[in-house]
Amino acid sequence: MIEASYHFPRGFLWGCATASHQVEGNNTNNTWYWWEQQPGKILNGDQSGLACDWWGGRWREDFDRAASGNQNAHRMSIEWSRIQPTPDRWDEDALDYYREMLQGLYERKLTPLITLHHFSEPIWFLENGGWENDQAVDIFAKYVRKVVEAIKEYVNLWVTFNEPNLYVALGYVQGIWPPGKTDLKSAFQVARRLILAHAQAYQIIHSLQPEARVGLAHHFLALQPAVSWSPLDRLATSLLQTTLNEMITNPLKSGKMNLILYQSRIPQAKGTQDFLGLNYYTRSTVAFDLRKADEMFARRFFPENAELSDAGHIANDPLGFAEALRWANSFNLPIIITENGVNDIEDRLRPRYILQHLHQLWRAVNFNFPIKGYFHWSLVDNFEWERGWTQRFGLWALDLKTQQRTRRPSANLYADICRENGITSAMVEKYAPSLFDQLFPA
Ligand code: FCB
């Protein structure tokens, strides 16, 4: 057997990503809790409940897992509804608890990347109109200032918003996430406010901490027209590209929202990214479909021979990742992979998925794309939004009843990758032998 390796640059960040509502448990004051209480919103009526019980202290054992798995970084989010339980009160104990967690990362030599908004908000914020309220940007700015002042001694890398594009599409167009609206006009306005809120957060963080590095975590859905020469399939693909993939990102380059249905100048947003955070999971094939007006006339599906995750939500498509990386590289900014992973309870696909995606990442690094790190989604199974507990993304499995964690083979694979700072032929032989000839052709 060939003994070969693909190595990453020295100092590359290797970690996992998590989000407050998905792991903390007992979050009863945010919009997702409110959503979970309504019948029919979450698959099987699942609730986040104790989640991974991080608020009860199990972050310690999970950070230990990350550190003993040779990771050197971790991405987590701050829960706004804990910091500001009512509009006029800051919870200093909650801030202290986050400081304790950050100290925990520091002691384990895990570099933190902190997300300020990962889908959940205080219920009072929504009751005041959420992002439809024209005060929303200022309200969010106060929260940002409070958090950054409190924890900046621990944090250099900040993500303002996680996947604002999905947040808008699912919460304001399709209505399957809180606040459950289906109103295109309002969706564009909300998108504009999120961009403004990001820009303001960017300035606030830099004013408090000039050396900070601030970005957004963009969800990039790679797309290909079902029939490459079909003008209608191409139209649907391009409508989805300019809205879903580029509605938030383009204004950060150009200072303008320039969509067919919505134009607006946002000069203060231009240049407000120090790095580009990229969340990539899969690529979709797109066919034009008149019945899909709320999804830009795009009917999305996976090719027949695709290797699918549980319940078929993700296709293992590493070339889609290569496309996502090329897209990210066009911003001329450092790139951090802020999420990538697959739901796979049996871990039959995950080892292949990880190796093939990291192989594409390595290729991009070798084309001199300025890629600084990779955060796998996720460390331990966690509450997966409207799909509840049906989707298992963890390197470690979680038994919700006992809170017991069980190592999946991928946890060992990822630990080997992080230790080696790369992929070796021995790893491929051990964890995904069927990939050997593809990744290491003789
Ligand atoms: C992303 C979300 C993350 C997680 C993964 C599976 O869209 O950012 O919270 O749910 O999908």
Side-chain angles (χ1 to χ4, degrees):
M1 281 293 185
I2 305 170
E3 280 192 30
S5 62
Y6 298 118
H7 275 104
F8 284 76
R10 196 187 302 210
F12 198 78
L13 297 176
W14 292 105
C16 284
T18 56
S20 57
H21 188 71
Q22 294 178 275
V23 297
E24 285 178 355
N26 268 330
N27 266 314
T28 55
N29 190 27
N30 72 20
T31 45
W32 270 91
Y33 178 77
W34 167 76
W35 196 245
E36 287 167 30
Q37 306 315 302
Q38 302 175 41
K41 302 297 190 199
I42 314 285
L43 214 59
N44 303 328
D46 284 354
Q47 305 225 342
S48 52
L50 261 193
C52 305
D53 194 24
W54 277 22
W55 208 252
R58 287 185 205 264
W59 56 270
R60 293 188 182 83
E61 53 170 290
D62 287 341
F63 289 180
D64 284 345
R65 289 187 175 91
S68 64
N70 308 314
Q71 297 172 35
N72 61 14
H74 184 74
R75 174 179 173 219
M76 58 178 257
S77 79
I78 304 291
E79 178 58 43
W80 181 2
S81 63
R82 290 198 190 274
I83 306 300
Q84 198 174 5
T86 57
D88 50 5
R89 191 166 81 82
W90 301 113
D91 187 333
E92 299 294 337
D93 292 342
L95 283 166
D96 279 345
Y97 199 60
Y98 281 118
R99 273 194 289 262
E100 207 180 317
M101 288 168 83
L102 288 162
Q103 177 70 26
L105 289 177
Y106 177 78
E107 283 162 6
R108 292 167 182 80
K109 300 193 170 51
L110 295 163
T111 298
L113 190 166
I114 296 300
T115 310
L116 291 162
H117 181 287
H118 196 125
F119 299 154
S120 55
E121 291 140 2
I123 293 175
W124 61 257
F125 177 74
L126 185 57
E127 284 171 349
N128 289 340
W131 294 101
E132 287 168 299
N133 177 345
D134 57 16
Q135 303 295 307
V137 174
D138 291 337
I139 297 173
F140 181 70
K142 291 203 178 84
Y143 155 72
V144 171
R145 181 175 292 281
K146 183 73 186 175
V147 172
V148 176
E149 275 171 350
I151 63 175
K152 65 177 195 232
E153 64 184 296
Y154 290 107
V155 185
N156 242 305
L157 291 169
W158 301 91
V159 159
T160 55
F161 287 91
N162 180 68
E163 302 187 342
N165 56 344
L166 281 201
Y167 174 90
V168 172
L170 301 182
Y172 289 86
V173 185
Q174 295 185 33
I176 60 168
W177 280 9
K181 305 228 164 164
T182 49
D183 178 346
L184 205 56
K185 193 162 158 244
S186 150
F188 286 126
Q189 254 177 17
V190 166
R192 182 174 191 279
R193 290 227 170 92
L194 294 178
I195 295 166
L196 283 169
H198 160 80
Q200 189 147 329
Y202 179 93
Q203 303 304 351
I204 292 172
I205 299 171
H206 275 287
S207 72
L208 295 171
Q209 193 188 11
E211 72 283 8
R213 288 286 159 263
V214 185
L216 254 153
H218 297 292
H219 182 99
F220 184 88
L221 178 65
L223 300 166
Q224 58 187 356
V227 177
S228 61
W229 45 264
S230 155
L232 285 178
D233 290 356
R234 295 173 74 99
L235 173 70
T237 308
S238 114
L239 282 174
L240 205 54
Q241 176 69 16
T242 49
T243 47
L244 187 68
N245 283 337
E246 294 177 350
M247 173 175 68
I248 305 281
T249 47
N250 271 357
L252 304 179
K253 259 200 289 202
S254 65
K256 288 189 276 243
M257 282 179 88
N258 199 3
L259 300 159
I260 297 174
L261 294 173
Y262 187 85
Q263 282 90 31
S264 174
R265 299 180 64 78
I266 318 181
Q268 60 273 56
K270 195 171 170 176
T272 55
Q273 285 187 113
D274 301 321
F275 65 88
L276 188 120
L278 177 66
N279 293 2
Y280 172 82
Y281 287 88
T282 197
R283 172 160 66 170
S284 271
T285 307
V286 175
F288 181 83
D289 189 335
L290 263 184
R291 290 163 302 185
K292 293 274 182 185
D294 65 342
E295 293 177 53
M296 299 293 140
F297 303 104
R299 185 168 57 83
R300 291 190 278 120
F301 56 95
F302 296 125
E304 256 174 36
N305 58 354
E307 251 185 308
L308 298 181
S309 70
D310 298 343
H313 286 111
I314 292 174
N316 176 21
D317 194 335
L319 291 179
F321 191 31
E323 183 189 323
L325 290 165
R326 280 193 295 277
W327 173 83
N329 194 45
S330 71
F331 286 79
N332 287 322
L333 289 168
I335 298 167
I336 298 176
I337 310 310
T338 32
E339 287 179 28
N340 173 244
V342 65
N343 59 308
D344 180 12
I345 195 162
E346 303 291 347
D347 213 49
R348 62 192 161 87
L349 172 59
R350 191 178 284 104
R352 292 168 62 77
Y353 183 100
I354 292 177
L355 285 163
Q356 288 178 288
H357 284 74
L358 289 180
H359 177 232
Q360 289 302 327
L361 192 63
W362 175 86
R363 293 192 68 215
V365 165
N366 280 275
F367 283 114
N368 290 325
F369 292 15
I371 300 166
K372 305 297 174 195
Y374 173 91
F375 291 84
H376 188 75
W377 186 277
S378 185
L379 183 58
V380 176
D381 289 342
N382 55 55
F383 181 73
E384 192 46 45
W385 312 114
E386 85 283 15
R387 302 206 175 112
W389 291 99
T390 62
Q391 293 202 341
R392 302 297 178 126
F393 278 90
L395 295 175
W396 293 74
L398 173 72
D399 180 331
L400 247 191
K401 289 201 196 82
T402 59
Q403 280 294 326
Q404 205 175 343
R405 279 87 165 135
T406 312
R407 181 191 282 273
R408 292 195 169 104
S410 289
N412 295 334
L413 166 61
Y414 196 56
D416 288 357
I417 292 169
C418 297
R419 190 190 48 233
E420 187 67 31
N421 193 25
I423 307 171
T424 66
S425 49
M427 288 174 201
V428 176
E429 218 185 311
K430 180 163 171 199
Y431 294 99
S434 60
L435 281 181
F436 198 89
D437 291 343
Q438 189 190 325
L439 293 193
F440 295 100

